[in-house]
Every structure is written in C-alpha cells, then in structure tokens.
Amino acid sequence: MTRGFYIGRFQPFHNGHLSMVEQIAGEVDELVLGIGSAGDSHSTRNPFTAGERIMMITKCLVGYDLVTYAVPIEDLERNSVWVSHVQSMSPDFDIAYSNNPLVIQLFDEAGVEVRQSPMFNREVLEGSEVRERMIDGGDWERLVPAETIEVIEEIGGIERIQMVSESDANGA
Amino acid sequence: MTRGFYIGRFQPFHNGHLSMVEQIAGEVDELVLGIGSAGDSHSTRNPFTAGERIMMITKCLVGYDLVTYAVPIEDLERNSVWVSHVQSMSPDFDIAYSNNPLVIQLFDEAGVEVRQSPMFNREVLEGSEVRERMIDGGDWERLVPAETIEVIEEIGGIERIQMVSESDANGA
Amino acid sequence: MTRGFYIGRFQPFHNGHLSMVEQIAGEVDELVLGIGSAGDSHSTRNPFTAGERIMMITKCLVGYDLVTYAVPIEDLERNSVWVSHVQSMSPDFDIAYSNNPLVIQLFDEAGVEVRQSPMFNREVLEGSEVRERMIDGGDWERLVPAETIEVIEEIGGIERIQMVSESDANGA
Amino acid sequence: MTRGFYIGRFQPFHNGHLSMVEQIAGEVDELVLGIGSAGDSHSTRNPFTAGERIMMITKCLVGYDLVTYAVPIEDLERNSVWVSHVQSMSPDFDIAYSNNPLVIQLFDEAGVEVRQSPMFNREVLEGSEVRERMIDGGDWERLVPAETIEVIEEIGGIERIQMVSESDANGA
Amino acid sequence: MTRGFYIGRFQPFHNGHLSMVEQIAGEVDELVLGIGSAGDSHSTRNPFTAGERIMMITKCLVGYDLVTYAVPIEDLERNSVWVSHVQSMSPDFDIAYSNNPLVIQLFDEAGVEVRQSPMFNREVLEGSEVRERMIDGGDWERLVPAETIEVIEEIGGIERIQMVSESDANGA
Amino acid sequence: MTRGFYIGRFQPFHNGHLSMVEQIAGEVDELVLGIGSAGDSHSTRNPFTAGERIMMITKCLVGYDLVTYAVPIEDLERNSVWVSHVQSMSPDFDIAYSNNPLVIQLFDEAGVEVRQSPMFNREVLEGSEVRERMIDGGDWERLVPAETIEVIEEIGGIERIQMVSESDANGA
C-alpha cells in the first residue's frame, strides 16, 4: 500500500487541483490532501475557512476510486519544523507531491521523497486567477468543478471575497 | 441532510467511542469527528499524534454506512472563541454531541444544539482506563476495536506511552 | 497628579476588591484596574470573560469619586516581560498595588514602586471562597457588591460556573 | 439602554474619530471603543501603545455626555474567531459601527447588526495622513484634538515615529 | 570531530550537571548545552532567566578543555516538533545525551542517537533539592559550583526564589 | 568589566559584521551577539537557521581575543516588550550596539545606552547584497569571511536560498 501527501491551500479547490489528484491517483493507493494555512480565512488570498475547503475537496472527490483524507494544517510560521508538524497531523505517507520550491526543499532536507509535475504550474496560476475573477465578476465557474461552485454559492462566498478585497485595497 | 459533530480527544479511539458513533448514526446522515488537542502527543494523557488518531478513526469506521470526516482541532487555549474555532475547521454541522459539561456550556451559549447521552460517561472513563492499562501492561486490547490495536502496534505506541509516563512520574 | 495600578483577576469583583480600591483612593488621583488573565473564561478558576469583568468593575465604581480605567491584560506566559507588557497596555502609572509576591518581585526588579496592604489577604481568600459558594449553592451574594450580583445574574453566571466545574472534576 | 461598539486602531485618535463618536452618540447610551492591534506599537503604521491610545481617547471624550469604555483588543491573526474574541473582551453591545468591509463582513456573518457612515472614509484617510505629516514634519496638529497633541508630546511621540519610520524605509 | 548535545533546564547549573559534562567530555570534541524552557523564569521550578543560566554555564566551564556552546531553547509546547526545533536552534550534533524518558523517546523516534547514564538521576534529584534548600534557607551552596553561587548572589537569586515560591503556595 | 550587546540577523555573518565586532572589541571586554529572528529560516530574507548562524559566528570569531556569546533571540512580534525579552535571554550587558533606528529607539526608551557607528550602514547593505549574489550566482564569497563560506557549503546553503527564492517570486 502506498500513500501520497499533496499539500495546497485550495483557495478554492479548482480544476488544476483536480487534474493533479487524477494524475497522482495512478501512483498511490491513498492520498492525503493537506489543507495549508488552515487557520486563515476571510482575506483576498485565503477567502475560505478550512471547513469550507474540506467540503469542496470531499464533494469533488467522492466519485473517484481513491481513498482520500482532507486534513487541515495550521501555520506554525517556522519553516524549520514544518515537515515534523505536517507529519504529526497527517496519516503516515510515502511520497509528497508539490511543485512549490520551498516545500520541495523542506521535504528534501528532511529526507522525504518529493515528486513534482509540470501540471503544478497550472495549479498555482489558476488559484489567483479564480480569485481575481470572483472579485471582478468574471467567469470563475469555468475554472472549478461543479461541486466547488455549489459550496461557494451555499456560503455566499462571492459576496465575502468581494467585501474583504475592499479592505485589502484601502489598507484600513 | 443532517450533519452531526462529535468532539473527543480519541486517545485512543476505543469501544466507548465506537458505541457513541453507532448511536449517533441513527440520528444523522453525516458525522464530523473533531479530534481535540490535535497538537498534543507523546504524553501520558495524549500519547498519539493527530495523524495517528485519524488512522484509528478511519480504519474503525470504514465498514459503517455513514459518511464521516476526521478533523484535527488544535487547542487555542481560550474557551470564549472555541466554538468559532471549531466551526471554522469543520464542515457545517446541525447538532453537536458531547457529554463534557464545558463543551455543552460553550455550544449552548453560542446557540448550537447539543445532545448528550448516558453512554458518554462510559466513553470518558474508558479513555484513562485504556491508557493506564497500556502503561501497567494490562489488557487494554479488550477495550478498543481491532483496527485501533493495529495502528498502535504499527507505531510502537505501547513503548511510547510507557516511556513518556516515566517522565511525568519523575517530574524531570 | 498620581496614578495607581491595581492588578487582579477579579473573578468576580468582590467586597475585598472594593475595600482595596477604597483604601487606594486615598493615595492616588486616578486608578487603573488591570484585569489579569483577560483571555481566560469558562473555567472554575476564571469563570467570567474580560468584558463581563469590565462591566462588574465599572458598575461597582461608578459612584466613587475616583477616575478609574478597567484594562484587560492578556497573559503572555513569560514572567520576564510581564512588566513591560503591563506598561504597554495601561495608561502610565506611578505606583503599583499588589500583595502577590510574584507581582511584587517583578515590579521590584523593574524598578517600579509597589505598595502592599494586609487587606490584600482578604482579597485573595475571598476570590476562591466566592467561587466555591457559587458552585456549591452557598451564600456568595454576601461577599460581593450588588452590582456584581446584577451582572452575574444577567449572564447566567451561576449556571456557567456550576457546569464548567463538573468538567474540571471529571478531567474530561 | 443601547450600547454601541466602535472598533479602530486610533493611531492616533484624530478629528475623524471624534466626529464619528459625536454621530454615534445620538444613537446609543453607551459606547465601547475597541482599540484594535493593541499589542502593536513603535512602527510607522502603529506608533503608539494601547495604554497611550487609552489616554488619548479618555482625555478627548471626558467632556462628552456619553458613557464610554476604551478596551484594548489584541490581534489573534484569525479572522474566523475575531467576532467571538471581540465579544469576550468587550462589555455586551447591541450595534457595531464600522466602515471597514472586512469588519462589516465578519459581524454580518456572525449575525451582529453593523452600521456604517460616509464619515468613516474621512476617518480612514486621516489616519495615514496624520502619521505621514508627523514623519515629514507637516502640520499634523490640525487634524487631531488638543488632548491627543498633549499625550503625544508627553511621550515624545513625534521623535518615536520619525525614528521607527527610518527602519521601515531601509528594511533593516 | 564529534559534537554532543546535552539538554537540561539548569535551574541552576549544579554539581550533577558538572559531573555529566565531565563524563561527556571524554566522548566528544565539542558540546552544546541546550537550555530548556528558556522563556520561563521567576517561578519556583524555573527561577532563573536564560541569560542568567548562560552566565552560570559559561563561568563554570571556562576552565575545561572542551569547546562548549550554551544555547537557549524556548518551549514550543508541541512534542511532535520538538526535535526539529532543537536541531534548528543548535549547531549540528551527532549524539544527544539525556536520561529523561520523553527526550529519549523523541530523539529515538527521530532517528537521533541518544546516550544515557546512571549519573543522570543524580542530576534530576539535585535540581529540585537545590531549589528547595534555597527556599527553606538550607545549605544549597554545597550542591553547586562556586561560579553558580557567584551568579546567583549577583542577581539576588535567593530573595527572588523565596518571593515567587510564596505565590505558588497561596495560589494567588 | 564591560559587556556589550550587538544584535543582528547575521543572514549570513559577513565582513561588515566582522568589522563591527573588531571595532566594538576596542570598547568592551565581552560581547554578546544576539541572533535576531532566530526562529526564521529557509526564506530569501532569512535563509539560515539559528544553529547555522551560531556556527558561522563562532568559527569566525575563534581567533579573536574577545570573550563572545552567540545567543539566538526568537521574535515575540511585540516591540513594547522586545527589550525585556532580549535582556532575559542574554547575559547582562552595559552597552547595546546598533544602527537600526527602531532598535535604538526601543533601547533608548528603556534607558539602555546605545552606540551607533557609520560602519553599520555597510553592514545593512551587505546583508541583502550577499543574499542577492547567492541567488543570482554572483561572487558572494568576497563579502564574507572564509569560515562563513565553509559553513554555507557544508549545509548546501546556496542551493537552499536559490530554491526558496523561487517560492517568494511566484507567491505560491
């Protein structure tokens, strides 16, 4: 049995994340999705709570033939203990998946195998693209799975991100 | 659809917890198991990490016909914001289950419905009973599901709790 | 103009505290009441929130001819910076009032003048006495000013402390 | 009896704040002034300590026929529990006053009534304008009440903000 | 070149610690003394600041032919990341020395070599013995090196521990 | 006997720092080097851990005829208690050395003597210059002592800062 660990902020869970999971599914039996910056919410960069992100991930992956765990990971603001922190919060895993250079470096120094993929860049780009479209009234729905749309509509997510983005803008 | 929230430390997940889940299963469609004191581990009172407790819960409940979420909840050490903290980390829930008077009081002041059960006392008592038997070499296996035994053996949990209990004893 | 600083947890504000304020009133023009452990609430030792304690203090002292400030002081859990922390949260003061040996020692090492009084012992004793009577259904009302009773009744304070004391007792 | 809650950083308390209080005074019997980012000081954006800001507010409002409370609110760096945190630190309130979109959104999601006013924009703009004039040697005195000037002069506030602004500039 | 790591609270640095260092000196070229609970001070259990403990250690070891480092280690209150935390604060080391079962277990799980010694028990016992004698006016000087006496006298350490022990006693 | 305190982040310890130490050596008998932001590492601005920085400092200064202490100082994120925090972590000192305006202001308000030097500017400039050259493949070796090069090569420091600087750039 092989278990993978895929860390992201999932703000929100979009098509790029879904493609990554589909690709990883071919390499592992089980997958932990670590929800980074779990304590952050209600900001332009992190609009949704950890609980809301668990809902998106769980609903999006329910039809897939892969055992998944969605685990919130709160920030400790200390890179040197980050790998230990992740390992204590997550079921034991064999391979970490990330394209974030800092994450790769930290796992690498700790002796954990990390795999990356060209697809990850798409993932990073789409995150901020989705949030910008939400704020500007653009077509964000095309970039995320239907289940993510459902969760965001239920919680009034668009109104929320539009409100909080104004605070960021005027620096109040 | 009704979703319940059941908070515990699950150190470890034992038969009392399992009975509670079975009882709650008759009242809700989905159940969030909030893993309290998620950042604590390697002590007599909290021997296992959040990740290890996720493993126990997931394996124990895999055969049940109930959608479950195991969500680590780190302590904020501030009772007045505890309900908000829990709500931000968990998928939205309708009913909280607990027999802990503090937890009941906090949910109650926040206007969240709480249900208790006589069975909860069994749950509390068994937690410390299991840990004491682990330390003293007693028959702890009878008090927990087979899957919990499996996880604890895999991680060397008995050796761990016996070691750390010596530190507590000599106050070093 | 002389300003005093009187630190306490005020759980709740009782007759011993009031006597102290009356005595200090003869020595200063203005008095800051620092509400210690401001982040703690809903426990046997610290049942009331900082906001509730501000209400008690303000209502009890409204009739006195003394300018007072009620200032919540959150714990930093670090004795060596405690005096600086207090000084940053409080209007500037000339004399600190306390009978707590640790507080006296900390102010003393920082070069701040501290005054104590035999009356302080009464204050310390009454704090736990009041809370015990609240829990056991005794006559706590005789030990506190009428305004404190009013606040506690309005917030359901007796039910709260009785509930949370059960959690402390069973160690859940 | 109606009590309002008005949150700000009050760095420093200026004429825009004073106008707001005057306007709110027509709508409530008592007003809590929540001093945000209470733990921050000695920076360009937050030059004054919570204690110094309490002094400014108290002196500026002493002549007004309105019961006021100045309550320091330390940052918890977690938007999802911010309302609960504020409610635990403050006397109970009926209406929150703010023009900050994030604050409005957070109170709104928590079911607390929030009122805003066109006057708030003036308040936000004046905050940074005052601090810039202090740093550049401009006429900041015209933008603040006389009592604020008094406090700032007493603590050497202009020298302080000019010094710390140099640190921000060279990124040391 | 071999470097050892020896963790303790050193409250204060006494003859048992010194014997340990002498024994370890035969096994390593350099030794890091990790000063645990570095942020704690002014309590019965942790009377001295990290800086004061650095002074004791440095003065006591100046005559020894061993390269030593005294490094304060603040508590993170999270056993699962403790080893990573220690490793980030300390020069790289090959062997950890401890007789504390928790510390041994944590280093062991992290794959770090730990050595223990019967002499450690003496060390643990002497720590509380020294502090009790300081409080009760007993002959603590016989249990510590001359340089430790010097530091404690210079800072008024006996008066301090006697004062703070009264606070612990009356639970104020 | 006079002891100085020289605070810096030492990311890494370079020739500007060394010149400063040489200059201060003429004014004091002993020197504490406070390693600021000790908990930060693996970022563009703070690439090296506190332990790695202790190694650099110790090796660079071993040949100098000056008693030195390298003491990690973790951030408390609260300027108003910073001086007390530093004083509790460091051996007692008589003079602080810094050219950072914030640090000067904080020591000054606390009544601690601070000395500055034109040489400090070189120090500040060189810090970011060294890190930029490391990232861009420039000649950083000329700006640091040989012992710093040794430590950085041993830990793979160039690869690390180049990796983490990519994370900073794409905002992942």
Side-chain angles (χ1 to χ4, degrees):
Chain A
M1 213 278 297
T2 305
R3 194 179 293 127
F5 179 83
Y6 172 31
I7 184 88
R9 289 186 297 111
F10 307 116
Q11 291 281 16
F13 190 83
H14 56 60
N15 293 333
H17 297 128
L18 193 61
S19 303
M20 271 304 305
V21 172
E22 285 168 350
Q23 185 191 327
I24 297 172
E27 306 179 17
V28 300
D29 302 292
E30 297 191 1
L31 181 60
V32 180
L33 289 100
I35 301 174
S37 298
D40 291 358
S41 69
H42 296 82
S43 72
T44 303
R45 186 168 151 79
N46 288 298
F48 307 113
T49 69
E52 291 160 356
R53 290 178 269 166
I54 292 176
M55 288 308 301
M56 295 174 197
I57 292 169
T58 309
K59 283 174 184 263
C60 287
L61 300 183
V62 76
Y64 284 78
D65 187 27
L66 177 72
V67 178
T68 55
Y69 307 77
V71 179
I73 310 277
E74 300 189 21
D75 287 335
L76 282 191
E77 313 269 333
R78 204 171 266 243
N79 289 329
S80 54
V81 305
W82 187 80
V83 170
S84 291
H85 175 48
V86 161
Q87 287 174 326
S88 78
M89 287 291 155
S90 166
D92 203 31
F93 54 87
D94 309 288
I95 310 157
Y97 290 86
S98 178
N99 206 42
N100 180 316
L102 170 60
V103 170
I104 294 171
Q105 179 70 19
L106 293 174
F107 276 124
D108 201 60
E109 290 193 19
V112 176
E113 184 188 349
V114 202
R115 292 192 194 151
Q116 37 187 323
S117 142
M119 199 173 284
F120 275 107
N121 277 324
R122 184 181 155 205
E123 160 212 37
V124 171
L125 292 172
E126 275 183 17
S128 44
E129 176 69 24
V130 170
R131 294 192 298 274
E132 272 165 37
R133 291 192 188 181
M134 285 174 165
I135 292 167
D136 302 337
D139 181 9
W140 61 275
E141 288 94 340
R142 290 189 55 181
L143 304 176
V144 307
E147 293 84 355
T148 293
I149 299 176
E150 221 174 90
V151 172
I152 288 173
E153 283 179 350
E154 197 185 307
I155 61 173
I158 300 304
E159 186 209 356
R160 186 197 291 167
I161 194 171
Q162 288 177 348
M163 279 293 280
V164 301
S165 72
E166 288 176 46
S167 279
D168 286 7
N170 72 15
Chain B
M1 210 279 296
T2 305
R3 194 179 293 126
F5 179 82
Y6 172 32
I7 183 87
R9 288 186 296 109
F10 307 116
Q11 291 281 17
F13 190 83
H14 55 61
N15 293 334
H17 296 127
L18 193 60
S19 303
M20 271 305 305
V21 172
E22 284 168 351
Q23 184 190 327
I24 297 172
E27 305 178 17
V28 301
D29 303 292
E30 297 191 1
L31 181 60
V32 180
L33 289 100
I35 300 174
S37 299
D40 290 358
S41 68
H42 296 82
S43 72
T44 304
R45 186 168 151 79
N46 287 299
F48 307 113
T49 68
E52 291 160 355
R53 291 178 269 166
I54 292 176
M55 287 309 300
M56 295 174 198
I57 291 169
T58 309
K59 282 174 186 263
C60 287
L61 299 182
V62 76
Y64 284 78
D65 188 27
L66 178 72
V67 178
T68 56
Y69 307 77
V71 179
I73 310 278
E74 300 189 22
D75 286 335
L76 281 191
E77 313 267 333
R78 203 171 268 241
N79 288 330
S80 54
V81 305
W82 187 81
V83 170
S84 292
H85 174 48
V86 161
Q87 287 175 326
S88 78
M89 287 292 155
S90 167
D92 203 31
F93 54 87
D94 309 288
I95 308 157
Y97 290 86
S98 178
N99 206 41
N100 181 316
L102 170 60
V103 170
I104 294 171
Q105 179 69 19
L106 294 174
F107 275 124
D108 201 60
E109 290 193 20
V112 176
E113 184 188 348
V114 202
R115 293 193 194 149
Q116 37 186 325
S117 142
M119 199 171 284
F120 275 106
N121 277 325
R122 184 179 157 206
E123 161 211 33
V124 170
L125 291 172
E126 277 184 15
S128 44
E129 176 69 24
V130 170
R131 294 192 298 274
E132 271 164 39
R133 291 192 187 181
M134 286 174 164
I135 292 167
D136 301 337
D139 182 9
W140 60 275
E141 288 94 340
R142 289 189 56 182
L143 303 176
V144 307
E147 294 85 353
T148 293
I149 299 176
E150 221 174 90
V151 172
I152 289 173
E153 282 179 350
E154 197 184 308
I155 62 172
I158 300 305
E159 186 208 356
R160 185 196 293 167
I161 193 171
Q162 288 178 349
M163 281 292 279
V164 300
S165 72
E166 288 177 45
S167 279
D168 285 5
N170 71 15
Chain C
M1 212 279 297
T2 305
R3 194 179 293 126
F5 180 82
Y6 171 31
I7 184 88
R9 288 185 298 110
F10 308 115
Q11 291 281 15
F13 190 83
H14 56 60
N15 293 335
H17 297 128
L18 193 59
S19 303
M20 270 304 306
V21 172
E22 284 169 352
Q23 183 189 329
I24 298 172
E27 306 179 18
V28 301
D29 303 292
E30 297 191 0
L31 180 60
V32 181
L33 290 99
I35 301 175
S37 299
D40 291 358
S41 69
H42 297 82
S43 71
T44 303
R45 188 168 151 79
N46 287 299
F48 307 113
T49 68
E52 291 160 356
R53 291 178 269 166
I54 292 175
M55 286 309 300
M56 293 173 200
I57 291 169
T58 310
K59 282 173 186 266
C60 287
L61 300 182
V62 76
Y64 285 78
D65 188 27
L66 176 73
V67 178
T68 56
Y69 307 77
V71 180
I73 309 276
E74 300 189 22
D75 287 334
L76 280 192
E77 313 266 335
R78 204 171 268 241
N79 289 330
S80 54
V81 305
W82 186 81
V83 170
S84 293
H85 174 47
V86 161
Q87 287 174 326
S88 78
M89 288 292 154
S90 167
D92 205 30
F93 55 87
D94 309 287
I95 309 158
Y97 290 86
S98 179
N99 206 40
N100 180 316
L102 170 60
V103 169
I104 294 172
Q105 178 71 18
L106 294 174
F107 276 124
D108 201 60
E109 289 193 20
V112 176
E113 184 189 349
V114 203
R115 292 194 194 151
Q116 35 186 326
S117 141
M119 199 171 284
F120 276 108
N121 278 325
R122 184 179 156 207
E123 159 212 36
V124 170
L125 292 173
E126 275 184 16
S128 43
E129 177 68 23
V130 170
R131 294 192 299 274
E132 272 164 38
R133 292 193 187 181
M134 287 174 165
I135 292 167
D136 301 336
D139 181 9
W140 60 275
E141 287 94 340
R142 291 189 54 181
L143 305 175
V144 306
E147 294 84 355
T148 293
I149 301 177
E150 220 174 274
V151 172
I152 289 173
E153 283 179 350
E154 196 184 310
I155 62 172
I158 301 303
E159 186 208 356
R160 185 197 291 168
I161 193 170
Q162 288 179 348
M163 280 293 280
V164 302
S165 73
E166 289 178 44
S167 279
D168 285 7
N170 71 16
Chain D
M1 212 277 298
T2 304
R3 195 179 292 126
F5 179 83
Y6 171 32
I7 184 88
R9 289 186 297 111
F10 307 116
Q11 290 282 15
F13 190 83
H14 55 61
N15 293 333
H17 297 128
L18 193 59
S19 303
M20 271 304 306
V21 172
E22 284 168 350
Q23 185 190 328
I24 297 172
E27 307 180 17
V28 301
D29 302 292
E30 297 191 2
L31 182 60
V32 181
L33 290 100
I35 301 175
S37 299
D40 292 357
S41 69
H42 296 83
S43 71
T44 303
R45 185 167 152 78
N46 287 299
F48 306 113
T49 69
E52 290 160 357
R53 291 178 268 165
I54 292 175
M55 288 308 299
M56 294 174 197
I57 292 168
T58 309
K59 283 173 185 263
C60 287
L61 300 183
V62 76
Y64 284 78
D65 187 27
L66 177 73
V67 177
T68 56
Y69 307 78
V71 179
I73 311 276
E74 300 189 20
D75 286 335
L76 282 191
E77 311 268 333
R78 205 171 268 239
N79 288 330
S80 54
V81 306
W82 186 81
V83 170
S84 292
H85 175 48
V86 161
Q87 287 174 327
S88 79
M89 287 292 155
S90 167
D92 204 31
F93 54 87
D94 308 289
I95 309 158
Y97 290 86
S98 178
N99 206 40
N100 180 317
L102 171 60
V103 170
I104 293 172
Q105 178 70 19
L106 293 174
F107 275 124
D108 200 61
E109 290 193 19
V112 176
E113 185 189 348
V114 202
R115 293 195 192 149
Q116 36 187 325
S117 142
M119 200 172 284
F120 276 107
N121 277 324
R122 186 180 154 206
E123 159 212 37
V124 171
L125 292 173
E126 275 184 16
S128 44
E129 176 68 24
V130 170
R131 294 192 298 274
E132 272 165 38
R133 291 192 188 180
M134 287 175 163
I135 292 167
D136 301 337
D139 180 9
W140 60 273
E141 288 94 340
R142 291 189 52 181
L143 303 176
V144 307
E147 293 85 353
T148 294
I149 300 177
E150 221 174 273
V151 172
I152 289 172
E153 282 180 351
E154 196 185 309
I155 62 174
I158 301 304
E159 186 208 356
R160 185 197 292 168
I161 193 170
Q162 287 178 348
M163 279 293 279
V164 301
S165 72
E166 287 177 46
S167 279
D168 285 6
N170 71 16
Chain E
M1 211 280 297
T2 304
R3 194 178 294 127
F5 179 82
Y6 171 32
I7 183 88
R9 289 186 298 111
F10 307 115
Q11 290 283 15
F13 191 82
H14 55 61
N15 293 334
H17 296 128
L18 193 60
S19 303
M20 270 304 307
V21 172
E22 285 168 351
Q23 184 191 327
I24 297 171
E27 306 179 18
V28 301
D29 303 292
E30 297 192 1
L31 181 60
V32 181
L33 289 99
I35 300 174
S37 298
D40 291 357
S41 69
H42 296 81
S43 70
T44 304
R45 187 167 151 78
N46 287 298
F48 307 113
T49 68
E52 291 160 356
R53 292 178 268 165
I54 292 175
M55 287 308 300
M56 295 174 198
I57 292 169
T58 309
K59 283 175 185 262
C60 287
L61 300 182
V62 76
Y64 285 78
D65 187 26
L66 177 73
V67 177
T68 56
Y69 307 79
V71 179
I73 310 277
E74 299 189 22
D75 286 334
L76 280 192
E77 313 268 333
R78 205 172 268 239
N79 289 330
S80 54
V81 305
W82 187 81
V83 170
S84 293
H85 175 48
V86 160
Q87 288 174 326
S88 77
M89 287 293 156
S90 167
D92 203 31
F93 54 88
D94 309 289
I95 308 158
Y97 291 86
S98 179
N99 206 40
N100 180 316
L102 170 59
V103 169
I104 294 171
Q105 178 70 19
L106 293 174
F107 276 124
D108 201 60
E109 289 192 20
V112 176
E113 185 189 348
V114 202
R115 292 193 194 152
Q116 35 186 325
S117 143
M119 199 171 286
F120 275 107
N121 278 325
R122 186 182 154 203
E123 159 211 34
V124 170
L125 291 173
E126 275 183 17
S128 43
E129 177 68 23
V130 170
R131 294 192 299 274
E132 271 164 39
R133 291 192 188 181
M134 287 174 164
I135 293 167
D136 301 336
D139 181 9
W140 60 274
E141 289 94 340
R142 291 189 53 182
L143 304 176
V144 307
E147 293 85 354
T148 293
I149 300 176
E150 220 174 274
V151 172
I152 288 172
E153 282 179 351
E154 197 184 309
I155 63 174
I158 300 304
E159 186 209 357
R160 185 196 291 168
I161 193 170
Q162 288 178 348
M163 279 293 279
V164 301
S165 72
E166 288 176 45
S167 279
D168 285 7
N170 71 15
Chain F
M1 212 276 299
T2 304
R3 194 179 294 125
F5 179 82
Y6 171 31
I7 184 89
R9 288 186 298 112
F10 307 116
Q11 290 281 15
F13 190 84
H14 55 62
N15 293 334
H17 296 128
L18 193 60
S19 303
M20 270 304 306
V21 173
E22 285 169 352
Q23 184 191 327
I24 297 171
E27 306 179 17
V28 300
D29 303 292
E30 297 191 0
L31 181 61
V32 180
L33 290 99
I35 300 174
S37 298
D40 291 358
S41 69
H42 297 83
S43 71
T44 303
R45 186 166 152 79
N46 287 299
F48 307 114
T49 68
E52 291 161 356
R53 291 177 269 165
I54 292 176
M55 287 309 301
M56 295 174 196
I57 292 169
T58 310
K59 283 173 184 264
C60 287
L61 301 182
V62 76
Y64 285 77
D65 187 26
L66 177 73
V67 177
T68 57
Y69 307 78
V71 179
I73 310 277
E74 300 189 22
D75 286 334
L76 280 192
E77 313 267 336
R78 204 171 268 240
N79 289 330
S80 53
V81 305
W82 187 80
V83 170
S84 293
H85 174 48
V86 161
Q87 286 174 327
S88 78
M89 288 291 156
S90 166
D92 204 31
F93 54 86
D94 309 288
I95 308 157
Y97 290 85
S98 178
N99 206 41
N100 180 317
L102 171 60
V103 169
I104 294 171
Q105 179 71 18
L106 293 174
F107 276 123
D108 200 60
E109 290 192 20
V112 176
E113 184 189 348
V114 202
R115 292 194 194 150
Q116 38 187 324
S117 141
M119 200 173 283
F120 275 107
N121 278 325
R122 184 179 156 206
E123 160 212 35
V124 170
L125 292 172
E126 274 184 16
S128 45
E129 176 69 23
V130 170
R131 294 193 297 275
E132 271 164 39
R133 290 192 188 182
M134 286 175 164
I135 293 167
D136 301 336
D139 181 9
W140 60 274
E141 288 94 340
R142 291 189 54 182
L143 304 176
V144 306
E147 294 84 355
T148 293
I149 300 176
E150 221 175 89
V151 172
I152 288 173
E153 283 179 349
E154 196 185 308
I155 62 172
I158 301 305
E159 185 208 357
R160 185 196 292 169
I161 194 171
Q162 288 178 347
M163 280 293 280
V164 302
S165 72
E166 289 177 44
S167 279
D168 285 7
N170 71 17

